[in-house]
Each structure stands twice: as C-alpha cells, then as structure tokens.
C-alpha cells in the first residue's frame, strides 16, 4: 500500500489523541484507519488509555487502498511529526512486508523513517447509547469548563473533587450547570442547552479528561458541540469525525447550592470595580513575602472597603504592612471585617471579567459570593 499525506494535518490528529498515552495508565499502541469515501481517501488516528478512547479528525490523504495499521505510540508519533525546518508540504508513506514483519516507511526522496508495525489490537470500538444527550454552544461551554476546571482539586483524597461536575438534572429547562471546587472556593456556571434528549442527574468529569475536552473544543471549527452521558462515560463529538469518550469519577458530588445558602440572612449587595478589587488584592499581597497561602483582610465600612495585609518577620520582630482603599456601593450596616486567601478570591474576580463586581456578603464567618450574569463564584472565609 502506498500514498501521500500532508504532515501539518496529520500532526493535528496526533495532538488530538496524545492524552491517551500520558502517564502510568496511558496506552501503548495507536491505530491509523484509512477509509475510502465518495470524495476520496481519509485517515483517522485512534488512541485508548487513561480511561479515554479518542478518534481524531479525519485527514484527507492519497492512498491506493483501505487499510488499518497499528504501531507503538512513540514510533507512530515520530512518523507524523517532523521538524518545522524540514518544510515538507507532502510526505510519502508505504507499507511493505519483510518476512513476517510489516514495515511502515514515511519520508520524501532519500529522507525516510521506518518503523515496525504492531500486531497488538485495540479494544473493539463500542457504540455508546447515551442516557442523556444535548447540544451546547462551543464558546460558552469551553468558557464554563475552563473556569470551573481551574477551581477543582488536584489529587485530593476527596476524589470526587478532582474533576468538574456536570449537572444535567435540568436540561429540560434548557440549562446545564458546571461546578468546580476544592473546598475553599467554587465556580458555578450555567450554560444554555439548545437541544436535549433524556434525563440524568449528573456526572463528574476527571481533570485529565477536562483538559482533553478543552483541547477538543478549541480545535473544533463548528459553533456547537454534541455531548452524551451514560452512567459511566461522557462522549463528545465534532463535525469532522473527531470523537472523544472518557470514564467518569464514581462518587457523589457535594451539594453545590449549599455554600451559597450559607451567606446568611439579609446579605449586603456590594458593588465595586474589578480593577480596584484586583489592585487592592495585589497591594495586600505585597506584605506577605513568601507565604504559601497569603490572606487579605477586607474591612467593609459605609462607602469604602479597605484591603490590608500584614505579617511579622525576622528575629527583630519587624512588621510589614500594606493597605489600599476602594470605593463601593450597597453597604449599609456596621463595619464588617473578614479574611480570605488572596489567590482564591483573585481567581474569582478575574473569572468575573472586567467591569463592575457584584459581591454578596453578610458576616465575617460567612462565605462571599461573586456574580457575573450566569456565573457564580463562592469564596470561603479563613481565620487570620
């Protein structure tokens, strides 16, 4: 079998399946399937590992026949990723038989790379019948998945926090809720569902799959993506044959609506600019030195909020202090002083974007809630 392919297109396919080969649970063998369509021949790559099964985009190629070949991942990756300095617009490939071995040769002219093909087979490509399926806007879902994913735990003993929770219990009302938390801060974002079918409570997508899904969505040229859930898997599809399936975390996710309800009675609806908020946090952070989790003191009083940071350092008991005042609106009770981890509240403010920040708070012992449209962020207080 002989043919030609464009390395730039094949490199994209290699990137799309690469996550299945990372780490201790990664796969070892990749598969390339060449199929004939009415408009010509197309090739797709498949990788299985890390509880994921990914099929790449279909890449147009030249070939004289249909074929499925398998090769160990490092060798196959070398076949299809060449130095940019080589500037090969098109590469030749050929599969030949040498005694009892099958050899794949890739190159052009006298520049060639040969690898031995593998007899190992991948698991059968099973058909998933989703319990619930829906279509969402690509940009909105990517934004929500990225922001919630940044607030998840990493290798937490509470394993159910090591991923993003997708609550599909209200897809009938055209809404999908994404949640990410590490127990100190939480992101809750609603995404509009444009088409839906079935009913399901929700699943927890592990961090590794979240990262791969973000890459999948970013590379998808369509404006929408289709998702499907079973009890044990999530599947996502694109328009060019690209398909990803991942296992999910088997566990019960905590009630994400509870922290918001803990704000207390008659919370204050405070408004201040995100620019002032971030500047105040940066100033307070200047006094913290190399503290691993620096905190900020927030003193709400009438029409202003004071950001303060202080720490005692050195044998002589020297003290470093920093303070910044910002105007605010909506606070009409006695002075309230609360404390929060700077990095956690910074992430929430940045996620809200530029403009005015809507902050709900009541007392020093209650969490703070930041809102921006369909996005809600909860930051738990800490002890000074």
């Amino acid at each position: 079998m002989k043919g030609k392919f464009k390395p730039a297109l094949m490199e994209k396919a290699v990137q799309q399946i690469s996550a299945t080969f990372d780490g201790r649970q990664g796969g070892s063998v990749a598969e390339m399937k060449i199929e004939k369509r009415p408009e010509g021949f197309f090739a797709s790559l498949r990788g299985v590992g890390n509880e994921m099964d990914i099929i790449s985009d279909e890449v147009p190629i030249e070939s004289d026949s249909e074929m499925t070949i398998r090769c160990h991942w490092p060798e196959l990756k070398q076949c299809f990723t060449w130095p940019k300095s080589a500037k090969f617009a098109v590469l030749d490939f050929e599969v030949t038989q040498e005694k009892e071995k099958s050899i794949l040769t890739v190159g052009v002219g006298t520049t060639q790379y040969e690898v031995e093909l593998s007899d190992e087979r991948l698991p059968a490509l099973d058909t998933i019948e989703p319990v619930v399926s829906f279509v969402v806007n690509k940009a909105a879902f990517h934004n929500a998945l990225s922001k919630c994913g940044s607030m998840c735990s990493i290798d937490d003993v509470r394993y159910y926090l090591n991923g993003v929770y997708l609550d599909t219990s209200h897809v009938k009302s055209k809404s999908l809720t994404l949640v990410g938390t590490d127990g100190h801060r939480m992101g809750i974002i609603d995404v509009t569902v444009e088409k839906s079918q079935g009913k399901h409570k929700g699943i927890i997508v592990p961090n590794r799959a979240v990262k791969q899904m973000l890459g999948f969505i970013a590379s998808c040229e369509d404006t929408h993506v289709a998702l499907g859930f079973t009890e044990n898997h999530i599947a996502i599809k694109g328009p060019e044959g690209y398909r990803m399936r991942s296992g999910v975390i088997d566990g019960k996710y905590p009630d994400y609506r509870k922290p918001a309800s803990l704000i207390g009675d008659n919370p204050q609806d405070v408004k201040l600019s995100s620019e002032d908020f971030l500047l105040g946090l940066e100033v307070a952070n200047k006094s913290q030195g190399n503290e691993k989790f620096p905190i900020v003191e927030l003193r709400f009083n009438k029409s202003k909020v004071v950001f303060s940071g202080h720490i005692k350092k050195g044998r002589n008991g020297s003290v470093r202090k920093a303070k910044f005042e910002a105007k605010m609106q909506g606070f009409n009770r006695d002075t309230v002083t609360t404390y929060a981890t700077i990095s956690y509240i910074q992430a929430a403010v940045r996620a809200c974007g530029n403009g005015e920040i809507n902050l709900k708070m009541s007392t020093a012992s209650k969490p703070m809630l930041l809102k921006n449209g369909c996005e809600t962020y909860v930051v738990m207080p800490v002890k000074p």
Side-chain angles (χ1 to χ4, degrees):
M1 185 188 75
K2 295 182 180 180
K4 299 177 183 289
F5 67 89
K6 294 181 179 180
L9 297 179
M10 198 62 77
E11 283 182 22
K12 179 182 177 183
V14 168
Q15 293 171 0
Q16 289 173 337
I17 69 168
S18 62
T20 60
F21 301 99
D22 297 335
R24 290 176 296 178
Q25 294 182 306
S28 59
V29 173
E31 180 180 271
M32 181 173 75
K33 190 173 185 178
I34 300 174
E35 296 180 289
K36 187 176 183 180
R37 304 266 190 264
E39 58 270 28
F41 283 91
F42 289 83
S44 62
L45 302 182
R46 182 184 175 210
V48 179
N50 290 318
E51 298 187 1
M52 290 187 284
D53 186 339
I54 304 176
I55 299 175
S56 75
D57 279 332
E58 291 185 338
V59 177
I61 65 171
E62 294 181 19
S63 179
D64 56 13
S65 64
E66 293 186 322
M67 191 176 192
T68 299
I69 61 175
R70 300 171 193 89
C71 183
H72 288 284
W73 169 243
E75 285 77 21
L76 189 74
K77 186 177 180 181
Q78 291 293 336
C79 285
F80 297 132
T81 55
W82 290 71
K84 300 296 182 183
S85 57
K87 297 181 180 180
F88 295 137
V90 177
L91 288 171
D92 300 317
F93 73 91
E94 183 177 10
V95 177
T96 56
Q97 196 74 24
E98 295 183 7
K99 296 182 179 179
E100 297 180 356
K101 299 179 180 179
S102 295
I103 304 296
L104 171 64
T105 304
V106 177
V108 58
T110 57
T111 303
Q112 293 185 341
Y113 181 73
E114 292 185 358
V115 297
E116 182 179 339
L117 299 181
S118 172
D119 293 330
E120 185 177 339
R121 292 184 175 274
L122 297 183
L125 187 63
D126 55 339
T127 301
I128 297 177
E129 295 295 337
V131 177
V132 60
S133 58
F134 47 90
V135 175
V136 292
N137 177 273
K138 179 185 78 170
F141 185 71
H142 187 279
N143 172 68
L145 190 63
S146 175
K147 289 180 177 179
C148 290
S150 69
M151 297 190 178
C152 294
S153 289
I154 300 175
D155 296 328
D156 198 308
V157 292
R158 299 166 296 178
Y159 62 93
Y160 47 83
L161 298 184
N162 297 324
V164 175
Y165 180 61
L166 275 65
D167 184 0
T168 64
S169 60
H170 41 277
V171 292
K172 291 289 186 181
S173 59
K174 302 297 182 182
S175 181
L176 167 70
T177 301
L178 287 80
V179 187
T181 184
D182 58 6
H184 303 286
R185 43 45 187 298
M186 176 183 291
I188 308 168
I189 304 179
D190 292 324
V191 176
T192 300
V193 174
E194 303 194 9
K195 295 179 182 179
S196 64
Q197 182 178 350
K199 186 178 181 180
H200 194 263
K201 291 183 179 179
I203 59 171
I204 307 171
V205 183
N207 290 326
R208 186 186 295 274
V210 168
K211 181 180 178 181
Q212 185 64 21
M213 287 175 67
L214 288 171
F216 170 93
I217 297 168
S219 68
C220 180
E221 296 181 359
D222 202 0
T223 57
H224 294 78
V225 291
L227 297 97
F229 296 169
T230 69
E231 294 295 334
N232 303 310
H233 293 90
I234 178 173
I236 181 169
K237 293 184 178 182
E240 301 298 331
Y242 190 6
R243 190 218 71 167
M244 171 188 169
R245 189 195 71 187
S246 171
V248 299
I249 296 175
D250 183 14
K252 183 178 180 181
Y253 203 77
D255 185 359
Y256 63 87
R257 291 158 295 197
K258 188 176 181 180
S261 67
L262 292 177
I263 293 177
D265 298 329
N266 303 315
Q268 298 289 287
D269 290 311
V270 178
K271 296 184 179 183
L272 69 158
S273 77
S274 61
E275 184 178 357
D276 285 346
F277 209 137
L278 290 173
L279 180 56
L281 295 173
E282 289 290 347
V283 171
N285 195 42
K286 291 175 71 67
S287 67
Q288 301 294 318
N290 295 321
E291 291 296 304
K292 187 175 181 180
F293 295 108
I295 64 173
V296 60
E297 177 189 278
L298 297 166
R299 186 182 297 271
F300 297 87
N301 182 19
K302 296 181 180 179
S303 61
K304 67 181 180 180
V305 56
V306 180
F307 299 78
S308 301
H310 66 275
I311 191 167
K312 182 180 286 188
K313 285 287 185 182
R315 295 179 180 176
N316 61 358
S318 62
V319 177
R320 285 185 293 187
K321 295 183 178 180
K323 185 172 72 173
F324 176 81
E325 294 185 1
K327 294 180 179 180
M328 66 176 180
Q329 298 176 345
F331 190 84
N332 54 15
R333 62 169 58 171
D334 295 336
T335 300
V336 173
T337 301
T338 188
Y339 299 85
T341 303
I342 291 178
S343 60
Y344 294 160
I345 197 167
Q346 266 181 336
V349 174
R350 287 171 177 155
C352 286
N354 298 325
E356 192 174 64
I357 294 293
N358 295 305
L359 171 67
K360 282 191 175 185
M361 54 84 64
S362 56
T363 66
S365 61
K366 304 295 184 182
M368 289 178 284
L369 188 149
L370 293 80
K371 286 189 69 68
N372 177 29
C374 62
E375 302 180 11
T376 302
Y377 301 95
V378 181
V379 180
M380 303 300 291
V382 297
K383 293 182 180 180

